[in-house]
Amino acid sequence: MTTDDISGMGPLVARLSRGGQRLRQADRTHPWVLDTAVVLLVFLLFCLPDLFHDGAGDGDGDGDGPRRFRLVFTQLPVAGMLALQAGLVLPLLWRRRKPLAAFATITAVFVLQWILGTALRADIALFVALYSLALHGRLRQLPWACAAMAAAMALVAVRVSSAVSVWDALFFLLSTATAALALGLMVRIRRAQLAGLRDRAARLEIERDQRSRLATATERTRVAREMHDIVGHNLSVIITLADAGSYAADIAPERGKEALRLIGDTGRQALNELRRVLGVLRAAADGPPGGPELSPQPGIVDIGALCAKVRAAGLQVVYRTSGDVDPLDGGVQLTVYRIVQEALTNTLKHADTDTRVHLAILVEDRRLTIRVQDTGPATRSGPPNEEGHGLVGMRERAALYGGSVSAGPTGGGGWCVEAVLDLTPQGGDR
């Protein structure tokens, strides 16, 4: 076969495939059409020749075939032949809906026919019924059906033993039955494989959509957390500075000017951080190379400037670190910065101007501890038994590193937030 022949088969295969799909769709819509067509085909090909063939089994020697083979069978009247043919062919109408019942009925008529000593071409219906049982029936029914089939074939072999060797007849008949059974099982397995592939494709599509929705929800949560940390903290500082500036405008104008300057610096920093977050979102959505240059995420080194702004807002902040914090990776440093920022923001919201805050960051082996304790009121305003978004955000950030966050009043008055992060690398030994 040449290359042109192979390439020319493409449209033919496509047309055959489309035709097969249309036939399967029509069969699902009108299944009785195919069942009726099978019955009519068997009747036309195998029943009519018996009805119109003169001397197929008579004993006077007329007809084709060796005489000794023709003497084996008994000639039935047309009415009896029609009755047997109907019993063999009509059960094929429900061969797909009730394959076991169809097979049992056809087998019973087949056995009765051979007990009467007559042979009909319509016996092909028994092999069609076995094929249908293997394809549509329950697998545990097949052993019983095979045993019944073997017994029926043995009966036929005995009836024709005067003309053909019993073993030769059994070999031919059982080979035909085995072919019908194997064909039905092969089609059944193929259909099961195709159904499995379609089901797997549907599951993969659902999983893809779920992963997409999960990624979207995760990104939305991350952005919301970043926006909360940026906007919440800076607005709290701006509000506190504005209140202090308005109070000091008449008493100490220079302090009022300093408050306005700090408000401007805080607002510009918040605006820059918002641009950075939105710039990352645009870069992720568009993905063009050579996007806008973005400032790095804040880290532990920026906590000093954060404390300075909080001090300018009126709080007394004592900040210390213990251990080597410089080698920490950027993700851990961002988490530490955001937790400290949220804790200081909450203190700024709820504490008085003379509140003293002790901030400590301790690195010990594979454990990092953040402790923010203030001397402000031991209670925080808000609905009872309800945590704010800030504390939830802190716990989410800590959970990324196998850590935890606890917050509550201290024994001597005031409020304490403590976060513990696990610095063990993912997959490392603990």
Side-chain angles (χ1 to χ4, degrees), residues 169-185:
L170 274 179
F171 175 78
F172 173 76
L173 294 172
L174 292 180
S175 297
T176 307
T178 302
L181 179 66
L183 181 61
L185 291 176

Side-chain angles (χ1 to χ4, degrees), residues 92-419:
L92 294 178
L93 287 172
W94 63 82
R95 65 183 181 88
R96 293 193 292 179
R97 295 188 298 276
K98 297 179 180 179
L100 182 61
F103 177 80
T105 303
I106 294 174
T107 302
V109 176
F110 180 86
V111 171
L112 175 62
Q113 167 207 326
W114 281 97
I115 289 176
L116 295 176
T118 185
L120 297 174
R121 291 180 174 87
D123 290 340
I124 192 68
L126 182 61
F127 299 102
V128 177
L130 180 62
Y131 162 82
S132 300
L133 181 62
L135 178 57
H136 303 289
R138 298 178 181 177
L139 293 179
R140 65 171 179 266
Q141 298 170 348
L142 286 181
W144 301 101
C146 291
M149 191 74 176
M153 296 299 102
L155 174 62
V156 176
V158 171
R159 292 292 297 178
V160 300
S161 58
S162 60
V164 182
S165 168
V166 173
W167 297 112
D168 291 342
L170 274 179
F171 175 78
F172 173 76
L173 294 172
L174 292 180
S175 297
T176 307
T178 302
L181 179 66
L183 181 61
L185 291 176
M186 182 187 69
V187 175
R188 183 184 189 127
I189 293 172
R190 179 59 178 169
R191 289 183 178 179
Q193 289 176 341
L194 292 177
L197 290 176
R198 286 192 293 267
D199 182 65
R200 183 172 181 270
R203 287 200 309 270
L204 289 176
E205 185 175 357
I206 293 174
E207 290 175 2
R208 181 198 63 192
D209 295 339
Q210 289 177 342
R211 285 195 298 268
S212 178
R213 288 194 293 269
L214 181 61
T216 301
T218 303
E219 183 66 14
R220 187 175 299 169
T221 302
R222 185 188 70 82
V223 172
R225 190 165 55 229
E226 287 287 328
M227 297 290 285
H228 173 271
D229 293 340
I230 295 170
V231 177
H233 168 75
N234 289 288
L235 283 181
S236 297
V237 173
I238 289 173
I239 291 171
T240 303
L241 288 173
D243 291 340
S246 63
Y247 176 78
D250 298 330
I251 301 175
E254 293 299 325
R255 295 293 302 274
K257 291 180 181 181
E258 179 66 17
L260 291 175
R261 185 185 64 79
L262 291 174
I263 289 175
D265 293 341
T266 304
R268 281 187 290 272
Q269 180 180 355
L271 183 60
N272 290 332
E273 292 187 5
L274 286 175
R275 286 174 176 171
R276 174 180 54 79
V277 173
L278 296 178
V280 170
L281 292 179
R282 284 193 297 268
D286 302 333
E293 295 184 1
L294 304 174
S295 59
Q297 294 273 28
I300 295 178
V301 70
D302 300 302
I303 293 180
L306 178 66
C307 294
K309 288 197 296 183
V310 175
R311 292 190 192 99
L315 296 182
Q316 304 176 35
V317 181
V318 178
Y319 169 48
R320 69 183 182 90
T321 62
S322 176
D324 192 3
V325 297
D326 294 333
L328 298 178
D329 64 73
V332 174
Q333 295 209 24
L334 176 62
T335 298
V336 173
Y337 180 88
R338 292 305 187 195
I339 291 176
V340 170
Q341 184 184 48
E342 183 61 35
L344 292 178
T345 301
N346 288 338
T347 301
L348 196 60
K349 288 180 181 178
H350 302 287
D352 299 329
T353 55
D354 58 348
T355 299
R356 188 177 184 88
V357 182
H358 292 274
L359 168 61
I361 300 176
L362 310 177
V363 179
E364 301 172 346
D365 194 14
R366 298 180 178 179
R367 178 187 178 96
L368 187 148
T369 303
I370 306 167
R371 186 177 180 87
V372 183
Q373 182 175 352
D374 62 59
T375 59
T379 58
R380 298 294 192 248
S381 61
N385 301 325
E386 182 176 338
E387 295 180 347
H389 294 291
L391 185 56
V392 172
M394 285 191 286
R395 285 177 174 163
E396 289 177 352
R397 289 184 181 276
L400 295 176
Y401 295 92
S404 61
V405 175
S406 60
T410 60
W415 192 266
C416 180
V417 175
E418 183 172 286

